[in-house]
Amino acid sequence: MLESYFPILVMGVFAAAVAGGMCLLARLVGPRHATAQKAEPYECGMWPVGDARRRFAVKFHVVAMLFILFDVELAFFYPWAVLFRDLRLFGLIEMGIFTAILVAAYAYVWRAGGFEWD
Amino acid sequence: MPDFGLLSPIAAMPMAILSVAALVALVGGTLGRRGPAIARISSMVGLALTAAGLASLWADRGSRALLAFTDTLVLDNFGVFASAAFLLGAVFAVLLGDAYLRDHARLAGEYHGLVLLATVGMIAMAMASDLVVAFLGLELLSIPLYILAGLSARDARSNEASLKYLLLGAFGSGFLLFGIALLFGATGTTLLSDMVGDPRLRMALSPANLYFAAGAAMLLVGIGFKAGLVPFHMWVPDVYQGAPTPVSAFMATGPKAAAFVLLFRVFGQAFAGAAEQWTGILWAMAVATMTVANLAALRQTELKRLLAYSSISHAGTILLAVLAAPKDRAGSAQALLFYVVAYALMKAGAFGVVVWLQRQQEGDVSIASLRGLASRQPGMALAMGVLMFSLAGVPPMAGFWAKAWVFSEALQAGFLGLTILAVINSVVAARYYLRVVVAMYMEEAGAADQPTAEPSGCPSAIAAIWLAAALTVLIGLVPGLVFVLGGQAGAMLR
Amino acid sequence: MDFLWTKHIWLIPFWPALGALANGVLIPRARKTLDVVSTVAIGSVAMSFLCTVFLTAELASLRIGNPAPVEYFRWIDAGDLRVPFALLFDPLSATMCLMVTGVGLLIHIYSMGYMAHDPDPGRFFTYLNLFMAMMLLLLLADSFLLMFVGWEGVGLCSYLLIGFWHRKESANRAGLKAFLVNRVGDAGFLMAMMLIFVTFGSLRFDEVLSNAAIRQASPTMLFAITALLFVGATGKSAQLPLHVWLPDAMEGPTPVSALIHAATMVTAGVYVVVRCAALYSAEGAASALVAWIGVITALLASLIALAQTDIKRVLAYSTISQLGYMFLACGVGAYVAAILHVVTHAFFKACLFLGAGSAMHGTGGQTDIRKMGGLAKTMPRTTVAFWIACLSIAGIAPLAGFVSKDEILHHVFVSTYAPARTLWTLAIITAFLTAVYMFRLFALTFHGDEQAMKRGAHAHESPSVMTIPLMMLAALAIVGGLALGLPYPPGLHLLNHFMRGWLIIGRHHGAEDTGGLGLALALAAIALAVAVSGAVLAFRFFRGPYRRVELLQRRLGFAYTLLSRKLYIDELYDIVIVGPAVGLSRLAADVTDTRGIDGIVHGAAAIAYRAGEGLRRLQTSHTRVYALAMLVGAVALVLYLARGMLF
């Protein structure tokens, strides 16, 4: 049973070997001259200002999270759309419950101020 | 269109009711000034209705277990009993939550909604007959807990607890899912009921099958994390200590029990045929869990941490029931269920006392804060004393019977050495339980331990504590009531 | 016929138990005044007495010789051993319960007056009620095991009540002595119970005491069982050699002495023997043992009583002596006569103790009879009651003591047991001595020479709450015997008729033919003559100048010292038993326990502690470390579970 996975194992080992080998070679053979400019972080040609340690406003995170959640909900609608005719009433009720739960979640986020940007 | 018949909605009914209640609480909690009240009422109503629903699902003696939802849910008394035990934990969580929500009223909706959702997850785990459904239940249980642990947003410890729980929990869930995948590879199905019944699959559950072995191991990692077994236990003290105390109480009662119920269904029921393979490692885990937890608890001074280690130690003891399952499924199921109920009561009560103490002072609640409690508040000291004795396994409290039956099952299954080790561990554990009692009754409160604030009333917490203590004693004196029900539950396992 | 009461035997011990609970726990401390606690206590005993009366009336009217026990709930059901919680109300237990509740009620009322100035009446009445409940449980139990519960319970209450004035060192020691000596007897009882279970397979009376079962048992076993039961009885009823605790028990309050150490608890031993009459009459050797121990105890105790100077101690030895009579009766198969003597003894002994208490109360707590005297004028009611009781115990016709003692003597004389005549002779001598020491006591306490009379002038009579029970008991001491045990005509002997079941069992050792009226009258005349002569002799002698008494004491010399020092039995026990026991326990405590066992225990604890400290350090709070631990665990699990394939 395991024999069929053998090629995958070979490929994995091969990939690891190539990638690892390149890093190893670079470490062994590559030149090493560190300068101040080379150690600076890259900022699209501009001079870096300040350090990178800055607190992110959580609103970005919230937006991203909400997007993911409702986007996945959307993703679940696609199969339903495809099989709409076969699933008929059962599908309607099932997706209705699904949507209702998410509408409740939506209502919650709305009332709890999740959609406020500031 | 799949034909579900009437059975599936009936099987899903408790979860459905509770989910609706959870959503109502969640959304209702945001409705301005009435929010907290709406949340509370909907959670209490939801719990009551679910309890009624579960009661209606209780089958008579001699009935067979039924499968629903294309065989992914099993309707048997075992699941119903376990779900009732989870509801008990949720009830205590609601009662104890009042004290916390008094100061954080805006969080009422979240608290109640999440507790209920977690309970839905637990019920799903208890009634699961399919590994994917079990995983779903586990996640549905865990994610609300991650949030609940971090509910005190301003408290650094709470944030720490939440983050640790999330990271390590995700890690554990990863293992669990990988294990399920491997098991699917080994047996071709994720349905536990098929694994139990089908003779062709028995071969798959043999020591010769690497996929099965690895899958079972991963499964054990994932469930062991939730149950707090060594070496997956290290998150428990930090998370229990950091989370708001009512949440710790909830975490100590329901989720742990749910993990064990799942463990029993998977290893005790489905993999029972391959018992020789996994008995050894579970034996080692049980011993290690009990020993490590007890020894570490000896040096604890902070109450929540102490109770956390105590939970781990009890988890090790419950594992004995799973070990005995292949030899006597009904009996060990009975012992397991009894332990779960008794344990939920004891822990909820103990954490309840911590909640009550926290309303009187700032900072950590340590054993020193309990000094001289017997003279200040004799009633509370008595309740705590009863609970401590029950945790230590002293008759005539429920904890004694719980330990006695688990030990008796283990002995009947032939685990003499393990039982002896478990008993020795009980003795060691008694030390730190009795230390609490000694502090309350035989020590004087020092000047530094005086309560800094007047104990403001938290009647529901006090009610919860007394309920827990009274039930502990009652079940201890008349264990037959719970035991017989547990027996009926165990008898229905296929 | 509707059995209204038969099912409710439980009510009898219930009321005192409720009273004990109320007085002990339920009533708040502030309300525990004498009035409240005594009302509760007296009320509960009164209720118990009423229930007993009703149950007895129903039992008598139903004319059932051996009623069935009433099972209440499943108590012990372990393998082969099945002992339900069941109570039995047959003529024997009915008689005993009537006596216990009736006399107990009178003593409770008396206590209300006696303990009027005590600071802690609540505790007293709680213990007293608890004792009643336990005693009634003992009497009503239908199995050896349940009886043993009551047996231990009364022992406990005896200990608590003897040491009631716990600030007194002597009282504490007396209580401990009573408990420990009783323990020896209890050991015998326990061993007997185990043997009973092994032989008969059950501990319930109806299964053990049936003729069929007994016939199948081996004689050796029967002897062992009866002998061991008797050991238990010896402890509880203060017979030789376990009698040493009873005189010391007089440290307790006088109502306690009256109730527990005269009328009720000490008769528990007699009750056991009579209850097991079927066993004893099947075993000749054990019955002989009982009879001999009984008569020897009776004789020796009466001798010792002659030389005691503490009023209560005289009565204590008198109790021991009279109990010996009861065992003598059992030994010759005269079980009903023994029970009759139990009842009459309760009447007159309780009257004597309460009278002594009244005298002590009137003289301000004096117990030395040499320092009392002359109370006849100042305490008339007490004197009359005490005098009546003395007449009764001495065996003067037609009082209760005479009737019951004579019946015992009669049965001893006509018994088929070979040395019966010797036993009878010893018993008659004891009767003589009884009369002598009782009237010595009476004379010295209430009369005496002129000096005594002067001392007595300062005394005052006790209040009615104390003297009325006294008078009632005196009345019972007069008529009780004839009422219950009218010797002739045979049909009118109430107790015989009521307990005819025991008459039948007793016929095994007793004579078929009781010798007819002539013999009975002759024996009665002898007994009466003996008693009267002893009484008159003692009264005249001790009423005279005390110098004569002292002269006699000096003349008797060593004999007198021997008797007054109680035959040095206590000292003997001290050297032979107590000394080595204490030494051994000191060895165990100081060496074995402190060094050996404590060392191991503390060492183990220290190891656990250090291990805990080490483990605590493992719990760093780094999430990475936790995850690493999980990973290591996962790898270990996989390797273990897959071990079959990899290695």
Side-chain angles (χ1 to χ4, degrees), chain A residues 42-64:
Chain A
Y42 181 61
E43 198 66 47
C44 289
M46 316 277 295
W47 291 113
V49 175
D51 60 17
R53 291 176 201 273
R54 190 183 275 231
R55 293 180 76 169
F56 260 90
V58 72
K59 55 191 180 185
F60 295 108
H61 175 75
V62 170
V63 166

Side-chain angles (χ1 to χ4, degrees), chain B residues 378-402:
Chain B
M380 201 51 68
L382 178 67
M384 187 61 160
V386 164
L387 290 163
M388 285 292 124
F389 275 119
S390 186
L391 282 166
V394 174
M397 258 63 81
F400 164 72
W401 290 114

Side-chain angles (χ1 to χ4, degrees), chain C residues 615-639:
Chain C
L615 278 168
R616 203 182 69 139
R617 303 253 184 86
L618 260 181
Q619 188 92 5
T620 65
S621 50
H622 291 135
T623 316
R624 287 170 278 171
V625 175
Y626 296 2
L628 180 65
M630 285 176 70
L631 187 62
V632 168
V635 170
L637 246 67
V638 175
L639 284 178

Side-chain angles (χ1 to χ4, degrees), chain B residues 164 168 171 175 207-210 213 217 220-221 225 231-232 234 237-238 277-278 280-281 295 298-300 305 309 431, chain C residues 608-609 611-613 615-616 618-623 625-627 629-631 633-634 637-638 640-643 645:
Chain B
K164 272 194 182 149
L168 293 169
F171 197 38
F175 275 106
N209 196 330
L210 176 62
L220 199 49
V221 172
F225 169 82
F232 317 113
M234 307 187 82
D238 295 336
Q277 225 183 335
W278 50 262
I281 197 71
L295 290 179
L298 286 176
R299 295 297 242 144
Q300 297 302 323
R305 235 176 146 76
Y309 277 110
R431 156 82 169 98
Chain C
Y609 222 50
E613 185 61 41
L615 278 168
R616 203 182 69 139
L618 260 181
Q619 188 92 5
T620 65
S621 50
H622 291 135
T623 316
V625 175
Y626 296 2
M630 285 176 70
L631 187 62
L637 246 67
V638 175
Y640 179 83
L641 280 180
R643 64 192 181 285
M645 281 151 279

Side-chain angles (χ1 to χ4, degrees), chain C residues 489-530:
Chain C
L492 287 180
H493 194 302
L494 266 180
L495 203 60
N496 270 354
H497 181 71
F498 193 45
M499 290 183 61
R500 55 190 170 286
W502 271 268
L503 270 186
I504 299 173
I505 303 174
R507 291 252 187 276
H508 287 270
H509 249 227
E512 246 333 298
D513 163 31
T514 49
L517 186 56
L519 182 62
L521 281 177
L523 289 174
I526 298 177
L528 191 58
V530 157

